[in-house]
Amino acid sequence: PENNFLRPGYLFDGWSNKSSGGTLYTTGQSIDFAPEIDDTITEKIYYANWKIIKYTITYNLNGGTNSDDAKTSYYVTDETYTLPTPTREGYSFIGWYKESDFQSKVTKIASGSTGNKTLYAKWEAKEVNYVVKHYQQKINAGDDQNTTNYTLKETETLTAATDSMIKPSVKTYTGFTAQ
């Protein structure tokens, strides 16, 4: 018959006639309980053997980069593991979450934890400065579009969130129409 032995973080691996090592008897295998040679009945003790489970840690970085020393697996017996802080240019790391819609924040995998873990990085765009340069075409330049035929008229330093769409204001100069 199948056994239903449970131990968190382990799989039942069979029975052994010694507490460490010895002969391993797997599920379904027969064990001889016959009396010893002199017909005396002796007590036989068998020990449950357990195989520790290796669990995986999957990081969904959402455009970020994890450190090289970020753990990708753990065991139930491991010490509490504080999750790494990834990086992403132009963004601040908000934290790790259990769900892709960022409902349950996670900061560590506690000692004694079990199960594979999938984590999702949440980011917030940083405000960044960008420069807008306004050029005016030289009147005698013709249709040649190279920059030597333009004069820098104004420079603006503006702020917006990383990867956001911006639309700087169009400048008008006497005698010119913006296109």
Side-chain angles (χ1 to χ4, degrees):
E2 288 296 314
N3 68 65
N4 293 317
F5 302 125
L6 297 175
R7 181 178 176 193
Y10 294 84
L11 294 174
F12 180 72
D13 198 29
W15 296 100
S16 177
N17 59 354
K18 294 185 180 177
S19 62
S20 180
T23 303
L24 180 66
Y25 299 95
T26 58
T27 300
Q29 187 176 358
S30 296
I31 299 175
D32 183 12
F33 285 102
E36 300 296 324
I37 296 174
D38 62 2
D39 285 337
T40 58
I41 297 177
T42 58
E43 181 178 58
K44 292 188 178 189
I45 298 174
Y46 290 89
Y47 301 88
N49 278 351
W50 299 95
K51 185 186 295 184
I52 195 163
I53 300 170
K54 181 179 183 178
Y55 296 108
T56 60
I57 305 170
T58 303
Y59 300 97
N60 287 303
L61 293 160
N62 294 323
T65 303
N66 228 347
S67 60
D68 291 338
D69 61 346
K71 288 178 69 168
T72 57
S73 64
Y74 76 98
Y75 298 93
V76 67
T77 55
D78 286 356
E79 295 293 320
T80 295
Y81 174 61
T82 301
L83 296 170
T85 302
T87 57
R88 183 177 177 192
E89 191 172 340
Y91 289 82
S92 296
F93 179 66
I94 303 303
W96 291 109
Y97 290 79
K98 292 180 182 180
E99 311 85 6
S100 60
D101 61 350
F102 311 117
Q103 297 298 311
S104 306
K105 192 170 187 175
V106 183
T107 59
K108 62 187 173 183
I109 298 174
S111 180
S113 293
T114 59
N116 296 324
K117 307 291 183 196
T118 299
L119 305 169
Y120 299 87
K122 183 176 181 180
W123 302 98
E124 181 175 84
K126 291 180 182 177
E127 292 289 312
V128 293
N129 292 329
Y130 62 96
V131 175
V132 178
K133 295 180 179 182
H134 298 274
Y135 287 88
Q136 183 178 24
Q137 186 177 12
K138 294 178 183 175
I139 293 176
N140 296 326
D143 290 333
D144 188 3
Q145 297 293 313
N146 72 48
T147 56
T148 59
N149 295 326
Y150 291 84
T151 303
L152 178 63
K153 294 300 276 182
E154 250 181 279
T155 301
E156 292 180 278
T157 301
L158 304 171
T159 303
T162 299
D163 291 336
S164 62
M165 296 296 292
I166 54 102
K167 188 173 184 178
S169 60
V170 176
K171 300 293 182 176
T172 57
Y173 301 103
T174 303
F176 291 89
T177 305
Q179 293 185 15

